[in-house]
Amino acid sequence: MVTVEELFATDVLLSEDEREIRDTVAAFAARRLRPHIADWFEAGTFPARELAPELGELGLLGMHLEGYGCAGTSATTYGLACQELEAVDSGIRSMVSVQGSLAMTAIYEFGSEEQKQQWLPELAAGRAIGCFGLTEPDFGSNPGGMRTRAKRDGADWVLNGAKMWITNGSVSDVAVVWAQTEDEGKQVIRGFLVPAGTPGFTAREMHRKLSLRASVTAELDFDDVRLPADAVLPGSRGLASPLACLSEARFGIVFGALGAARECLASTIEYARTREVFDKPLAAYQLTQAKLADMALEFGKGQLLALHIGRLKDRGVVTPEQVSAGKLNSTREAIAIARECRTILGANGITLDYPVLRHANNLESVLTYEGTAEVHQLVLGRALTDANAFR
Ligand code: FAD
């Protein structure tokens, strides 16, 4: 008997270093995260403050960035780490993605040297938590329409508006907030660093979620928030700046979502081998095997695509369209796998005793954030036809 990973022997495509780091993350996840995840999910909590320093110590926060206390690993290694975290729960990978690929990457790419020195080592160590506020109540797929505004008042900036669905939002020490500004009469989107506790800035955790329950999601409000001149990320200019960060986070999902799929498959195969129906194990029926074979095939193809995209990124030649293709494929196939696994588990599949429905529910969010599946279809459609079908 082989595991779905062994079936495709994808490990031979990894270096010894990559395997070692991946196995270290897997061991941490097995010891520190997996035993608690069902309880966190059921309670709708995530101990972000407690876990952040541990994730920092492992080098997982801003893992692929260089300097400022970051580990400076390859992109593929970062992807593999995301996969191990998301095998436990998409909420944990979300926390790490938002901290490293969104908040830290925004500061790393567009921040001043002072901003980098102030925030990156703290965020890398998990002594501070960051979030990334782009989405608004009325603007998700079309963030360019955002209403949040930062206006000059003397040397200061005054920020007004609201952000919604912000991961880590109410536990963050610093929020990277995207706002419209005016520059010589033209509207330009720029990033601002807003520390927690700044007067006029409030963050409220959102509840009643049926997906990513083990993840902090918040609404951010900015009511005449006065910020010093140096709160702006000086290198940020236009929507391309937040979109560049999103492409980084999406890359982690290309690998991560497959971790959720892998976990569903492993637990389902184990279940099917021991569950007896009509006097023999469920795994011995052709219908079950057809389902398992098809799911394993999609997992294997997804893993090969993820590794290919990882290698392209490590060579510095990956395109946003390739990352879109990977994100679309991994999330779409992972959610299909999670749902099909649920059918094999029957009634047991709807409980938190097995990871499948928790993963399927989480993957609803993963399919939607960092660009919905439809948005990535439009990205690929535009690349293939040169016709923009967004509007
Ligand atoms: P909409 O944009 O309203 O889309 C609704 C539907 O319309 C979708 O099916 C979409 O694909 C479709 N659609 C949109 N445009 C088109 C089109 N042109 N043609 C055809 N169909 C279209 N945002 C942040 O900024 N920071 C975060 O940390 C963050 N964390 C999140 C955490 C969670 C748990 C969730 C659920 C969301 C998070 N988001 C975050 C927000 C997320 O990025 C948005 O939900 C996403 O961009 C989609 O926006 P929307 O929900 O407004 O959907």
Side-chain angles (χ1 to χ4, degrees):
M1 200 178 124
V2 291
T3 65
V4 284
E5 278 179 306
E6 288 163 353
L7 184 65
F8 295 95
T10 40
D11 260 25
V12 303
L13 301 173
L14 306 180
S15 70
E16 209 176 308
D17 264 9
E18 286 167 342
R19 282 198 297 268
E20 203 174 297
I21 296 176
R22 178 200 60 188
D23 293 347
T24 305
V25 180
F28 169 79
R31 175 181 62 77
R32 186 66 179 96
L33 307 172
R34 198 170 274 111
H36 308 291
I37 189 61
D39 291 340
W40 293 337
F41 185 95
E42 187 168 28
T45 57
F46 181 67
R49 282 260 154 231
E50 197 182 315
L51 284 173
E54 296 178 47
L55 295 165
E57 202 178 327
L58 267 180
L60 297 178
L61 304 174
M63 185 173 188
H64 55 306
L65 303 177
E66 296 275 350
Y68 306 99
C70 303
T73 67
S74 70
T76 304
T77 308
Y78 169 59
L80 293 167
C82 286
Q83 191 157 92
E84 294 311 316
L85 296 175
E86 194 148 359
V88 178
D89 196 87
S90 304
I92 298 165
R93 199 267 310 135
S94 296
M95 190 270 163
V96 169
S97 289
V98 168
Q99 176 100 344
S101 293
L102 293 181
M104 291 176 72
T105 296
I107 298 170
Y108 187 87
E109 293 293 338
F110 308 117
S112 65
E113 191 51 40
E114 291 71 35
Q115 289 169 332
K116 293 183 199 184
Q117 296 287 356
Q118 180 183 359
W119 288 110
L120 291 178
E122 292 297 296
L123 291 163
R127 287 188 293 270
I129 295 180
C131 67
F132 184 92
L134 179 65
T135 304
E136 301 190 353
D138 292 328
F139 297 94
S141 301
N142 175 23
M146 69 173 64
R147 294 200 186 104
T148 300
R149 294 259 176 297
K151 283 195 175 149
R152 281 279 192 192
D153 183 25
D156 292 351
W157 292 93
V158 178
L159 188 63
N160 278 290
K163 299 288 176 183
M164 200 170 179
W165 301 110
I166 308 306
T167 303
N168 298 347
S170 53
V171 290
S172 281
D173 298 280
V174 63
V176 173
V177 181
W178 299 93
Q180 290 282 9
T181 62
E182 266 199 19
D183 193 9
E184 294 170 356
K186 273 194 185 161
Q187 299 278 314
V188 183
I189 291 173
R190 305 195 72 183
F192 292 84
L193 296 184
V194 185
T198 306
F201 169 32
T202 46
R204 263 189 323 277
E205 187 170 357
M206 298 170 70
H207 295 288
R208 295 167 67 83
K209 289 181 296 172
L210 298 173
S211 172
L212 286 195
R213 288 182 57 74
S215 172
V216 175
T217 314
E219 287 177 70
L220 311 183
D221 265 301
F222 307 95
D223 184 10
D224 280 335
V225 176
R226 185 164 286 276
L227 298 168
D230 63 3
V232 70
L233 293 172
S236 65
R237 205 146 268 276
L239 195 57
S241 302
L243 294 188
C245 303
L246 288 175
S247 195
E248 290 298 314
R250 246 167 235 152
F251 173 80
I253 297 175
V254 176
F255 282 83
L258 295 171
R262 189 191 74 199
E263 186 88 353
C264 290
L265 270 165
S267 67
T268 300
I269 291 168
E270 192 186 322
Y271 182 88
R273 292 181 71 240
T274 51
R275 169 75 175 178
E276 295 216 345
V277 293
F278 297 99
D279 308 324
K280 71 175 186 184
L282 193 49
Y285 287 90
Q286 288 182 346
L287 276 177
T288 311
Q289 292 198 1
K291 287 182 182 180
L292 294 174
D294 287 352
M295 290 190 285
L297 199 52
E298 286 309 329
F299 171 81
K301 291 190 299 193
Q303 186 76 333
L304 287 169
L305 180 61
L307 286 169
H308 176 60
I309 291 171
R311 298 300 179 217
L312 292 177
K313 189 162 167 55
D314 281 327
R315 286 190 196 179
V317 295
V318 78
T319 65
E321 289 78 13
Q322 288 158 348
V323 178
S324 277
K327 198 267 179 179
L328 176 61
N329 184 66
S330 293
T331 52
R332 201 162 58 180
E333 297 309 328
I335 198 167
I337 288 172
R339 289 173 179 159
E340 188 81 301
C341 284
R342 214 290 304 154
T343 68
I344 295 176
L345 267 71
N348 280 320
I350 73 151
T351 70
L352 280 170
D353 295 338
Y354 297 89
V356 295
L357 192 57
R358 175 169 55 77
H359 275 308
N361 279 8
N362 284 340
L363 288 163
E364 294 287 350
S365 292
V366 184
L367 197 65
T368 294
Y369 66 26
E370 314 287 352
T372 65
E374 293 79 5
V375 161
H376 292 300
Q377 286 177 313
L378 293 174
V379 168
L380 295 178
R382 185 177 55 192
L384 292 168
T385 64
D386 222 12
N388 184 346
F390 277 87
R391 290 178 186 278

